[in-house]
Amino acid sequence: MKKNILLLCLALLCLSTAIAQNYKITGTVVDSLGVPLQMANVIAYQQDKNLGAFGITNQQGKYKLEGLKQDSTYTIKVSFLGLKQIEEKVENLQGDLVKNFIMMAGADELDAVNLTYQMPVSIKGDTIVYDADSFTNGTEDKLGDVLQKLPGVEVNDDGDITVEGQVVEKVQVEGKDFFEGDSRLATKNIPADAVSKVQVLKNYNNQSQLKGLGNDQDRYVINIKLKEGKKKFWFGEATVGAGYGGEAERYLIQPKAFYYSEDFSVNILTDFNNLGTPAFTGRDYFRFIGFNRRDTRQNNASINVNAASTFNAFATNRALSIDSKFLAGNASWKVSDKLDMSAFAILSSTDTRTKVLNSNTFIDSGLVEETDDRALERNQVGLFKLGANYNPNSDLSINYDGRINISDQSQVTDFTSSRSGVVEDIDQVNSQKPISYNQSLNAYYTAGDRHIFALESQFLNQEEDPFYNAIRNIRDQQDPEPFNGALGLESADPYNINQERFVNTNKIDAKLDYFYVLNKTSNINFTLGSTISQQNFSSDIFQITDTDERNELQDPTLRNDNVQYNFTDLYAAVHYKFITGKFTFTPGVTAHSFRTLDFQNDEENVIESQRLVPDLEVRYDIKSSQSLRLSYDQTVTFTDIDNYAEGIIFTNYNSLRSGNNQLEGSLNDRVSLRYNNFNMFNYTTIFGNITYTKQRDAIQSQTQLDGINQISAPINFGLPNESLNGSLSYGKEIRKIQFGVSASGSWSSRNNIINNVEQESININQTYGATARSNFQKGLNFDVGYRLNLNDSDNGGFENNSTTNVYSAGIDWQLGKRWLLRADYDLNDFSSDNGQE
């Protein structure tokens, strides 16, 4: 099989090179004084207006036009903002040419040039504009297919978009956020034939008043410009499919509709399928229940208040079957010149059947447990949002967002555990119906040329009610009751154990920023803020007896009655940003005062602490598209009431944990170095980064193992957790074929205490990949790739090494105007030391 794939890849590469002789035209572009012009556009197109090649000059004014056909005639056009365009014809091309151009002063004729022929790429300040038709050949289906063909742009399988190595923050259409800017929904739903231009907005900030004050150099946004005929009416598409696969009938229904005008826009997406492709994943859900990145600097202390759930009922694409139903709509409208409003609603229902076979080796005894886990997961979600932006004048902007998130999640599991001659059948049920109401109110005010204020606030009200049930049927009755009698259960066959929990959270985040602008290259930022969280928690473990009666267990540690937990963080910060030459420095420091208070078992416990937390960023802009960035920051991370409540909580059929009200925040140090280089002259991209993190006073587990049973509690561990991650990628386009190679690696060390013995877990992961894809205007196009993943782990002396090979190949061939031939093939080959494949 591997040989066949390699032969296919070789054949496709040979086919791509077996084309007519191609030539290139090179030279320089200078002004009337002989000064090289950087970012001048040079285009070669044929008499039928088909694009032959285009180039953009580098710092030395050099350009390069490649892939020009022998015996063809081309018109060469050179343009640069503010100078008179040049047009020259090259007839009957017979070899490589060198042509130099001198541009004279004259009227800016770029608009006139665009009327004749669209510039494939134009750069205006912090905006890169790609003309989509210059890079596509008609075989594209969705926006993601278009973006993949643009130089310097990549789209991964999850729909994340990167430009010049930076992750795109959000996607807009005609200047309006597309479903909160979610890149996955945009890349997989916007029709390719509606896209006219792709604008990449660099150094982005939602608030124009704040632009340039912070470190926004790595914030990227993509704005899609629609084609002229699709700017003020409905358009869309519908995909319908049916078939038979495996043991079930297969179906696919995907109608989509879009409407855009200057003052109003609507997007409607639907997806009903049982093909194993979830329309709305857990990643999508967690992105939508949060808020977009703030427009001022993030606070470097946090508390996680979403830890109550004992399971994740969101589907992946690795399952026996997935039945997905998805309906979503968003709208934005301009109420007046001062008020804009937006809203979205998302309804999703996903049923997922999974099967997992696993082998667990327990460190303390070497006991091996074989498990067979078959589950049905159902996840129903409703997300709703209403937002408004009010701009009464150029000096004041007020934004409001209100969101309601409702879920109904359940997981029913048929589980079998085999160990040391004991076989146990376990039926498990996890369920919860969480609801949250999340609001934000932000205001930005410019008091003068030097004084800018920003107020940002968020309020969260959240209720969680996870329920857990395990029915344990031990076939060998000589084996003791669950947890060796530690729960005080009545003798039963089978054992029916249940747990109810309830968590209520109210959390407020608010901060005020003041920017004092010293001059064009420096400013000082003062910040005052607070985070206040109040949580109530209760839980109860009980047994349903053989007579269907409720047995309230007597051990008081199995109950949490009205536990209260309050967290307060008051902080003040100062940051100074200044630019000198090609360097930008932004040092800062934040002073925190933390206070945690918990009330449980009729006792109140208060812990207070103070931290002085530094951060620093140094950026070296080597060229306009080449930079080196060094950053260091400290953060303090706290946990929520789920880990402070001291009573016992079920986490699995064989796992219990208790809380610890003496926990303090963990201190995290992170230092990273990042290099970006995107060369528009020869379409070469080089990106690299390396990051080291060290977590001190980490909140880790202290675990007692007894056979397969374990009881754990969180503690602030003395030994640090460390990790080192790095990646490097190189891309190059040669004659309409894009080549790419990449390598990444990570090392991590984590510490726990198991049966009073310190255990270190070390994980080393390496990934290497290579891709090649063509972008010919006519004929056969291909896309091939290979990825190798090596994982080595050492968990307390138990080692395991695994290897994964991933092969992919695809072709598309436009046959006339009506037919498109497309084929894709993927193969994942996994193996490990323990014999798993």
Side-chain angles (χ1 to χ4, degrees), residues 780-795:
L780 180 70
N781 278 285
F782 67 88
D783 188 337
V784 295
Y786 170 71
R787 186 171 73 251
L788 170 66
N789 178 260
L790 306 173
N791 183 264
D792 303 324
S793 62
D794 183 344
N795 188 10

Side-chain angles (χ1 to χ4, degrees), residues 99-126:
K99 296 189 72 64
N100 299 320
F101 297 97
I102 300 176
M103 303 197 72
M104 308 302 293
D108 182 359
E109 299 189 14
L110 182 58
D111 291 340
V113 174
N114 283 333
L115 291 174
T116 304
Y117 195 90
Q118 294 290 337
M119 292 294 177
V121 181
S122 60
I123 301 175
K124 302 177 182 179
D126 292 332

Side-chain angles (χ1 to χ4, degrees), residues 342-361:
S342 61
F344 74 72
I346 296 175
L347 300 174
S348 173
S349 177
T350 306
D351 290 343
T352 307
R353 294 185 182 274
T354 60
K355 177 181 178 181
V356 178
L357 303 177
N358 209 351
S359 177
N360 302 313
T361 302

Side-chain angles (χ1 to χ4, degrees), residues 423-574:
V423 179
E424 183 175 8
D425 297 321
I426 306 165
D427 295 326
Q428 297 183 97
V429 175
N430 283 284
S431 64
Q432 63 175 342
K433 296 181 179 180
I435 181 172
S436 66
Y437 182 36
N438 208 336
Q439 301 179 82
S440 74
L441 178 64
N442 305 325
Y444 306 91
Y445 177 63
T446 301
D449 293 339
R450 295 180 178 269
H451 309 283
I452 300 172
F453 295 88
L455 173 66
E456 297 179 329
S457 61
Q458 295 183 13
F459 172 73
L460 169 69
N461 176 259
Q462 178 174 273
E463 291 185 357
E464 301 167 277
D465 61 344
F467 172 78
Y468 175 74
N469 168 249
I471 300 176
R472 301 184 57 167
N473 183 8
I474 302 174
R475 300 181 190 176
D476 185 351
Q477 295 300 318
Q478 301 301 315
D479 200 58
E481 69 180 67
F483 296 96
N484 296 326
L487 299 180
L489 302 172
E490 288 185 10
S491 179
D493 183 18
Y495 288 98
N496 188 332
I497 311 169
N498 304 266
Q499 178 180 254
E500 298 172 329
R501 279 194 290 161
F502 178 79
V503 184
N504 176 257
T505 301
N506 289 286
K507 180 171 175 277
I508 297 176
D509 289 284
K511 71 187 188 82
L512 175 66
D513 281 278
Y514 166 61
F515 296 88
Y516 178 61
V517 180
L518 299 172
N519 49 53
K520 292 182 179 181
T521 60
S522 62
N523 68 78
I524 300 177
N525 174 208
F526 298 96
T527 306
L528 291 175
S530 67
T531 298
I532 301 173
S533 175
Q534 297 178 339
Q535 294 182 292
N536 296 309
F537 178 94
S538 61
S539 70
D540 182 22
I541 299 176
F542 60 93
Q543 177 187 10
I544 301 297
T545 66
D546 291 343
T547 59
D548 292 330
E549 295 181 354
R550 178 165 172 153
N551 174 29
E552 296 290 351
L553 305 181
Q554 299 303 309
D555 190 337
T557 63
L558 300 179
R559 300 178 64 89
N560 289 279
D561 293 322
N562 194 28
V563 179
Q564 300 177 28
Y565 173 66
N566 297 337
F567 169 83
T568 303
D569 172 23
L570 302 176
Y571 59 92
V574 60

Side-chain angles (χ1 to χ4, degrees), residues 131-149:
D131 176 63
D133 289 341
S134 299
F135 298 92
T136 56
N137 55 20
T139 63
E140 300 78 18
D141 184 26
K142 304 298 181 186
L143 172 64
D145 302 323
V146 176
L147 296 179
Q148 282 278 34
K149 297 185 175 182

